[in-house]
């Protein structure tokens, strides 16, 4: 069972089988705040002139904290050999830390000061490798790996094809030519209990020991923290409750550098969140500023700013008021203007509709407004607004159109009426087009109303048949209650017969009074038909999915057969786990390899022990495994599987996470895109099939399942207005 990359959440044990998760234990901003004093720390000019000296300053700054070495903490009540407790930064400060915890602290400080640090994992040890080839802003803004990384690394980890000899040779070469610096991080500690030896090493000693430890130990993995944190792929965990922490420096106190210039201090944590851009926006701005300052020296005064406020952006834009001399200056001005508008929008949303900033709604609206933002994983309102400004379409020069679309869509999703005079006042103050805002409001309201109504089609057949032979249908209102019912009708048991029946059902629904547009069609199918038929491709004049969002359900859930009733009762519990324990933004799916499913007895025992508590994904085509598929679809309300061989599962699973808030409708969007991309690779989602028995469907089945022919009875107060 492979867990998805975590989203922001509670501090938890590290699973050694997922080395990339170490990125979740490194919050560079928080570490810098807690360990910022005593300094000094490297400035931009010092980093550029002497990268090795900058690493020395970070090392010596951490060594000045008086940390102690402590062996790994063990939770004897919940001990698992494949898991390790990692102390949070405050606990390391108060009680000491082991090699891994000290390496994570050192890496966090490096990242805070724009030095790219990797965690090198040996069989029984951990240390850091710091890249000396450039500034971290280049890495963050370009998203490209460091030069020569490909020799041993792939996707931020040790490459699968990198054998021990090649890793050893590459690391030796990197150290010899000054590309990387290996640092033994336990060297920052003092003696522990009285009588215990000190591990303290001078910086050059720590560098020598880092190379020696790597030479005599086997490298099991290398984790690029910055790579995995880029765009929020692995966001830092929220720190646990209060701990004995070092006192931070005063929030607003400026620091006087060696050159006598006052530098902005750490960000004021008490300041309102809209008074500064989000972390991704600040990083993007820093990268654009550094590149612009290389050609326009007057901008260098802003380089060492540790945090940005709305006033700071205004001063930067004032310095940029004369026409910038080159493309980097123009790009910096565009970035600064966009972030300033994003901060203004943040302040307005926080004051006018704070309830709209629901995490799932923010993600859903972002994906709708900015097409290229799927792999961007912002957290919180500030970061979402930054993403809108930074990833806006090229046709939107100042980001106003994208930001207006985002704010209006978010308001409609929250049920807030943008016809309010306060909204028009904000539009006028920010230079937004009020007429365009009103058009957007009408469009999103119509879309929301359409999405709340659905046509449900139940196609039934005998257990041994591959195709259904009867059909019935209901039209549900926005609350999921049936308003109209089409009684049971015969269906020819073939693909063509099912498509013809769907045509008749659509004609019935579209002729109902008051229905002008049918957006969503839910189709409940027998198990065998689910495996053999793509409902969204049914010919109803066009493909069914061309104009309708098609969602598939397990048809037997309405009337579960006797041998599946015990399993079917588990669906509600698993859906509750998805809703309450899973990540509402990025989901939580357990993926099963074919080998695990082939060991049927062991797999069934895992199911009984509830090792797969929520949604399930199959990494294999279930053809020829009908009995297994039937048992799984009965007990899992959300089940994903491929209908053809998938060679690259990473892209598929990443896409499921990135598009989670759009599912199940996002599957139809992916299929539709695949139909129109004749020469391009289809979206990864297009390779998956899905049964998605959500809460409205389970409620519908509960109220309908006791009736053999539907619920259109006088006793329940429903009415039939269709024509037959």
């Amino acid at each position: 069972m492979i867990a998805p990359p975590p989203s922001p959440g509670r501090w938890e044990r590290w699973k050694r089988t997922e080395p990339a998760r170490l990125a979740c234990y490194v919050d560079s901003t928080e570490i810098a705040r807690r360990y910022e004093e005593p300094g000094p720390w490297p400035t931009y000019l010092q980093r550029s002139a002497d990268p090795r000296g900058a690493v020395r300053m970070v090392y010596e700054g951490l060594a000045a904290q008086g940390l102690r070495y402590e062996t790994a903490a063990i939770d004897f009540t919940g001990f698992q050999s494949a898991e390790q407790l990692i102390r949070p930064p405050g606990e390391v400060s108060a009680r000491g830390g082991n090699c891994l915890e000290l390496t994570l602290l050192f890496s966090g400080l490096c990242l805070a000061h724009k030095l790219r640090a990797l965690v090198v994992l040996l069989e029984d040890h951990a240390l850091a490798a710091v890249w000396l080839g450039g500034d971290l802003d280049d890495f963050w803004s370009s998203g490209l790996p460091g030069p020569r990384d490909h020799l041993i690394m792939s996707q931020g980890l040790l490459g699968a094809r990198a054998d021990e000899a090649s890793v050893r040779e590459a690391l030796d070469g990197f150290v010899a030519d000054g590309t990387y610096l290996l640092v033994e991080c336990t060297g920052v500690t003092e003696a522990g209990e009285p009588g215990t030896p000190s591990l303290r090493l001078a910086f050059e000693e720590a560098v020598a020991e880092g190379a020696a430890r790597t030479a005599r130990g086997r490298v099991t993995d290398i984790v690029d923290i910055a790579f995995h944190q880029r765009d929020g792929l692995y966001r830092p965990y929220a720190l646990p409750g209060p701990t004995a922490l070092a006192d931070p420096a005063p929030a607003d106190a400026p620091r006087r550098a060696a050159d006598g210039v006052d530098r902005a201090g750490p960000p004021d944590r008490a300041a309102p969140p809209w008074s500064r851009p989000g972390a991704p926006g600040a990083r993007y701005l820093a990268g654009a500023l550094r590149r612009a300052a290389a050609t326009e020296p007057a901008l260098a005064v802003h380089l060492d700013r540790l945090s940005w406020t709305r006033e700071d952006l205004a001063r930067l834009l004032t310095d940029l008021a004369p026409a910038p001399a080159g493309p980097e200056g123009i790009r910096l001005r565009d970035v600064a203007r966009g972030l300033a508008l994003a901060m203004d929008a943040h302040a307005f949303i926080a004051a006018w509709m704070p309830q709209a900033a629901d995490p799932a709604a923010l993600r859903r609206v972002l994906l709708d407004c900015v097409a290229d933002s799927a792999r961007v994983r912002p957290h919180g309102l500030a970061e979402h607004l930054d993403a809108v400004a930074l990833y806006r379409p090229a046709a939107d020069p100042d980001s106003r159109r994208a930001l207006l679309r985002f704010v209006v869509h978010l308001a409609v999703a929250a049920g807030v009426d943008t016809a309010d005079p306060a909204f028009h006042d904000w539009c006028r103050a920010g230079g937004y087009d009020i007429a365009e805002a009103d058009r957007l409001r009408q469009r999103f309201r119509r879309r929301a109303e359409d999405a709340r109504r659905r046509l449900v089609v139940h196609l039934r057949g005998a257990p041994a048949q591959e195709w259904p032979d009867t059909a019935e249908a209901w039209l549900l209102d926005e609350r999921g209650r049936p308003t109209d019912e089409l009684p049971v009708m015969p269906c020819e048991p073939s693909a063509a017969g099912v498509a013809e029946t769907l045509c008749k059902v659509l004609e019935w629904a579209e002729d109902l009074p008051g229905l002008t547009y049918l957006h969503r069609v839910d189709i409940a199918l027998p198990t065998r038909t689910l495996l053999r038929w793509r409902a969204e491709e049914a010919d109803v004049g066009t493909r069914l999915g061309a104009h309708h969002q098609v969602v598939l359900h397990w048809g037997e859930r309405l009337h579960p057969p006797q041998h599946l009733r015990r399993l079917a009762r588990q669906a509600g519990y698993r859906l509750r786990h998805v809703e309450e324990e899973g990540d509402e933004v990025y989901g939580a799916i357990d993926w099963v390899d074919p080998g695990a499913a082939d060991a049927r007895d062991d797999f069934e025992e895992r199911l009984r022990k509830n090792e797969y508590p929520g949604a399930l994904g199959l990494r294999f085509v279930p053809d020829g495994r009908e009995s297994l598929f039937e048992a799984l679809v009965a007990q899992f309300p959300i089940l994903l599987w491929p209908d053809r061989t998938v060679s690259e599962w990473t892209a598929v699973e990443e896409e499921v996470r990135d598009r989670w808030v759009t599912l199940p409708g996002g599957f139809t969007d992916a299929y539709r895109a695949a139909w129109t991309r004749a020469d391009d690779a289809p979206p990864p989602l297009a390779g998956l099939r899905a049964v998605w028995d959500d809460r409205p469907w389970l409620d519908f089945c509960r109220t309908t399942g006791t009736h053999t022919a539907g619920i259109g009875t006088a006793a329940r107060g429903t009415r039939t207005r269709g024509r037959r």
Side-chain angles (χ1 to χ4, degrees):
M1 181 172 65
I2 298 177
S7 61
R10 65 183 184 277
W11 195 274
E12 59 184 54
R13 294 182 182 91
W14 171 54
K15 295 179 176 61
R16 294 188 178 95
T17 55
E18 192 177 359
R21 191 186 287 252
L22 286 175
C24 295
Y25 302 91
V26 180
D27 185 335
S28 59
T29 302
E30 192 66 26
I31 290 172
R33 186 177 73 86
R34 294 174 185 275
Y35 291 88
E36 188 69 30
E37 299 296 338
W41 301 98
T43 66
Y44 166 74
L45 294 177
Q46 289 167 322
R47 292 195 311 270
S48 301
D50 182 11
R52 186 187 183 99
V55 180
R56 176 197 294 271
M57 293 179 73
V58 173
Y59 178 88
E60 292 176 347
L62 186 58
Q65 306 290 333
L67 300 175
R68 292 181 293 113
Y69 179 82
E70 185 58 71
T71 56
I74 299 177
D75 179 3
F76 290 100
T77 60
F79 177 75
Q80 297 286 338
S81 60
E83 296 180 344
Q84 179 174 335
L85 288 174
I86 294 180
R87 300 178 182 96
E91 191 172 335
V92 175
S93 175
R95 303 176 186 175
N98 62 13
C99 61
L100 178 58
E101 292 155 349
L102 294 165
T103 299
L104 293 174
L105 275 186
F106 176 75
S107 300
L109 281 172
C110 284
L111 296 182
H113 294 281
K114 308 299 180 66
L115 297 165
R116 179 184 174 216
L118 316 179
V119 176
V120 179
L121 297 174
L122 308 179
E123 285 182 310
D124 58 353
H125 193 60
L127 49 88
V130 186
W131 183 50
L132 303 180
D135 195 279
L136 186 59
D137 280 332
D138 286 333
F139 176 80
W140 264 323
S141 58
S142 71
L144 299 175
R148 301 171 64 202
D149 277 6
H150 66 280
L151 295 178
I152 55 174
M153 298 185 70
S154 174
Q155 297 297 303
L157 295 172
L158 191 65
R161 298 181 180 178
D163 57 54
E164 184 175 355
S166 64
V167 171
R168 177 84 57 221
E169 181 182 357
L171 280 178
D172 289 345
F174 290 161
V175 171
D177 65 16
T179 301
Y180 281 98
L181 201 63
L182 294 170
V183 182
E184 173 55 54
C185 298
T186 59
V188 303
T189 61
E190 296 179 340
E193 297 298 326
T196 60
S198 172
L199 299 178
R200 174 63 62 85
L201 298 172
F203 174 69
E204 293 300 339
E205 294 174 328
V207 170
E209 180 62 17
R213 288 297 295 261
T214 307
R216 64 177 181 262
R218 187 174 73 85
V219 177
T220 60
D221 219 317
I222 299 175
V223 184
D224 187 339
I225 301 296
F227 176 90
H228 293 295
Q229 288 187 348
R230 181 173 58 89
D231 293 337
L233 280 172
Y234 281 78
R235 293 198 57 82
Y237 284 145
L239 291 176
T243 52
L245 303 174
D247 291 332
D252 285 325
R255 297 183 301 159
R256 186 168 294 276
D259 59 4
V261 178
D262 286 338
R263 309 295 184 194
D268 183 358
R269 299 263 167 180
W274 55 85
S275 66
R276 55 183 181 267
R283 290 198 298 265
Y284 202 100
L285 178 65
L289 174 60
R290 194 183 73 82
R291 290 188 294 274
T295 58
E296 300 185 41
L299 298 173
V301 67
H302 300 280
L303 281 172
D304 286 316
R305 186 172 299 283
L306 296 182
S307 63
W308 289 86
T309 66
R310 182 66 176 83
E311 291 71 24
D312 295 330
L313 284 175
R315 284 192 288 271
L316 176 61
L317 287 168
T318 298
D319 290 347
L320 287 165
E328 295 296 350
I330 295 172
R331 177 58 181 159
L332 174 62
R333 183 180 59 191
D334 290 346
V335 170
R337 285 176 175 173
L339 292 178
L341 286 170
M343 293 167 69
D344 294 342
H346 188 170
F348 174 70
I349 292 170
W352 187 59
M353 53 175 190
Q355 74 277 21
D358 170 76
L362 288 173
R363 178 69 176 172
R364 191 176 297 112
V365 172
L366 176 66
L367 292 175
D368 177 76
C369 293
V370 185
D372 295 332
S373 63
R375 296 305 301 275
V376 181
R377 296 181 179 175
H379 174 61
L381 179 56
E383 293 188 8
H384 279 80
L385 288 164
D386 286 355
V388 174
L390 297 174
Y391 294 91
R392 64 185 184 269
D396 183 4
D398 59 8
S399 79
R400 279 187 171 85
R401 289 172 60 185
L403 285 168
L404 181 63
R405 181 183 179 93
F406 183 89
V407 174
V408 174
H409 195 169
L410 198 64
V412 171
V416 177
D417 190 358
T418 57
D420 189 297
F423 176 76
H424 286 176
D425 290 343
W426 173 73
C427 285
R428 279 189 287 268
Y432 294 98
D433 187 335
I434 295 178
E436 176 64 16
D438 289 339
R439 286 192 293 271
L440 288 170
R441 175 170 62 94
Q442 295 297 332
R443 182 189 308 168
F444 291 135
R445 287 182 64 178
R446 284 195 303 269
R447 189 188 298 180
E449 291 168 359
D450 292 337
R452 285 193 290 267
R453 301 190 73 179
R454 62 176 76 177
L455 173 67
V456 173
V457 184
H458 183 205
L459 296 162
R460 301 177 65 181
Q465 290 182 195
E466 292 190 3
W467 296 99
D469 54 17
T470 61
E472 53 191 331
W474 301 266
L475 187 67
L476 308 187
D477 64 13
E478 63 277 1
R479 297 183 181 179
R481 299 179 303 187
T483 59
D484 299 272
E485 177 187 355
L486 178 65
V488 177
M489 59 186 294
C491 171
E492 179 189 334
S494 67
V498 172
E500 181 61 28
T501 299
L502 281 176
C503 285
K504 295 177 181 178
V505 171
L506 289 171
E507 290 172 2
W508 164 77
E510 290 164 354
D511 284 345
L512 292 172
L515 183 66
T516 58
Y517 179 78
L518 184 59
H519 174 68
R520 175 163 165 170
V521 178
D522 288 30
I523 302 179
L525 293 168
T527 305
R528 288 176 174 267
T529 313
L530 278 170
L531 288 173
R532 288 161 175 76
W533 186 57
R534 299 179 68 96
E536 66 282 346
E537 294 183 3
D539 185 359
V540 293
T542 61
R543 291 184 175 184
L544 180 62
H547 297 305
H548 305 286
Q549 187 183 91
V550 181
V551 178
L552 299 184
H553 302 287
W554 181 52
E556 280 88 343
R557 200 171 299 286
L558 280 157
H559 310 283
Q562 185 65 38
H563 70 289
L564 293 175
R565 287 181 184 175
R566 181 178 299 178
L567 293 178
R569 283 197 295 269
Q570 308 305 313
Y573 294 98
R574 288 196 160 94
L575 185 61
R576 184 172 182 176
H577 178 88
V578 172
E579 294 171 339
E580 297 183 2
E581 303 298 328
D583 189 317
E584 63 178 329
V585 177
Y586 298 109
I589 289 193
D590 293 319
W591 294 91
V592 178
D593 290 315
D598 287 339
R600 188 68 180 266
D601 292 342
D602 179 64
F603 184 50
E604 290 178 351
E605 180 60 23
R606 289 186 176 189
L607 291 170
R608 283 191 289 270
K609 291 190 297 185
N610 200 34
E611 290 191 16
Y612 310 101
L616 195 72
L618 306 181
R619 289 199 183 101
F620 56 89
V621 180
D623 284 351
R625 306 179 192 227
E626 282 82 358
S627 62
L628 172 63
F629 182 81
E630 184 178 52
L632 293 178
V633 79
Q635 57 190 304
F636 286 93
I638 299 174
L639 182 68
L640 312 182
W641 73 95
D643 62 357
R644 60 181 68 91
T645 301
V646 175
S647 58
E648 179 50 64
W649 273 104
T650 301
V652 172
E653 293 171 21
E654 288 291 322
E655 189 83 348
V656 170
R657 293 186 201 105
D658 291 333
R659 299 284 182 180
W660 178 262
V661 294
T662 72
L663 303 180
F667 286 113
T668 304
D669 295 335
Y671 303 150
R672 197 178 295 152
W675 300 338
T676 58
R677 293 184 184 179
D679 300 323
D680 298 327
L685 276 185
L688 285 180
R689 309 295 298 153
V691 163
W692 205 280
D693 291 348
D694 54 10
R695 183 65 56 189
W697 178 254
L698 292 187
D699 291 343
F700 177 77
C701 292
R702 188 162 43 250
T703 58
T704 309
T706 56
H707 299 269
T708 58
I711 57 177
T713 63
R716 297 192 66 85
T718 59
R719 57 191 184 277
T720 300
R721 296 183 301 187
R723 298 184 294 110
R724 282 298 301 154

